[in-house]
Amino acid sequence: ERFLREGRAAAAVKSDHVITIYQVGEANGVPFLAMEYLDGQTFADWLRAWRQMNPVPARPAMILAVARHLLRGLVAAHAKGLIHRDIKPANLWLEGGTNRLKLLDFGLARDGPTSSLTQSG
């Protein structure tokens, strides 16, 4: 129930900075999500590679670009009443070729303050 409900909530979010979920359903008793194929890598993987190749910290312009993309995704989710609750580099995707950041994994998301399928702790 939780998987399907959160999948439907995430599917309602339309943004270039949130993964697109095309369909949420159940087949032969197994719940599923059909979502866009993403080419690229997680932000966590990108950060690891960056640290190995660059002894200096990222430039402020780089940090601001990542933050801007992340915030656009969060604004779109919040506009639909969805609170992500698990922002971390492994849940962010850098698209190959565009370097557009997309928000992934709404598994801990809460659809507003009245949601009761997830709780603290």
Side-chain angles (χ1 to χ4, degrees), residues 26 36 112:
E26 203 169 322
E36 71 178 304

Side-chain angles (χ1 to χ4, degrees), residues 11-73:
V13 179
K14 306 297 181 213
S15 170
D16 284 342
H17 302 287
V18 174
I19 189 156
T20 301
I21 298 176
Y22 298 116
Q23 186 177 7
V24 178
E26 203 169 322
N28 301 320
V30 178
F32 70 87
L33 297 176
M35 61 183 74
E36 71 178 304
Y37 171 79
L38 294 176
D39 185 28
Q41 62 186 329
T42 67
F43 190 57
D45 290 340
W46 183 88
L47 281 173
R48 267 191 291 284
W50 170 266
R51 288 180 186 133
Q52 288 176 353
M53 296 180 349
N54 296 285
V56 297
R59 295 184 319 267
M62 259 175 146
I63 295 166
L64 286 173
V66 168
R68 194 174 295 121
H69 286 216
L70 172 58
L71 291 172
R72 286 179 179 150

Side-chain angles (χ1 to χ4, degrees), residues 71-92:
L71 291 172
R72 286 179 179 150
L74 289 173
V75 165
H78 290 184
K80 293 292 184 178
L82 194 62
I83 302 164
H84 190 280
R85 301 190 327 152
D86 196 20
I87 303 300
K88 60 186 178 186
N91 287 341
L92 304 175

Side-chain angles (χ1 to χ4, degrees), residues 8 21 44 48 68 84 92 95-96 99 102 110 114:
R8 288 184 192 105
I21 298 176
R48 267 191 291 284
R68 194 174 295 121
H84 190 280
L92 304 175
E95 275 188 312
N99 284 331
K102 288 196 175 234
R110 199 170 199 162
T114 60

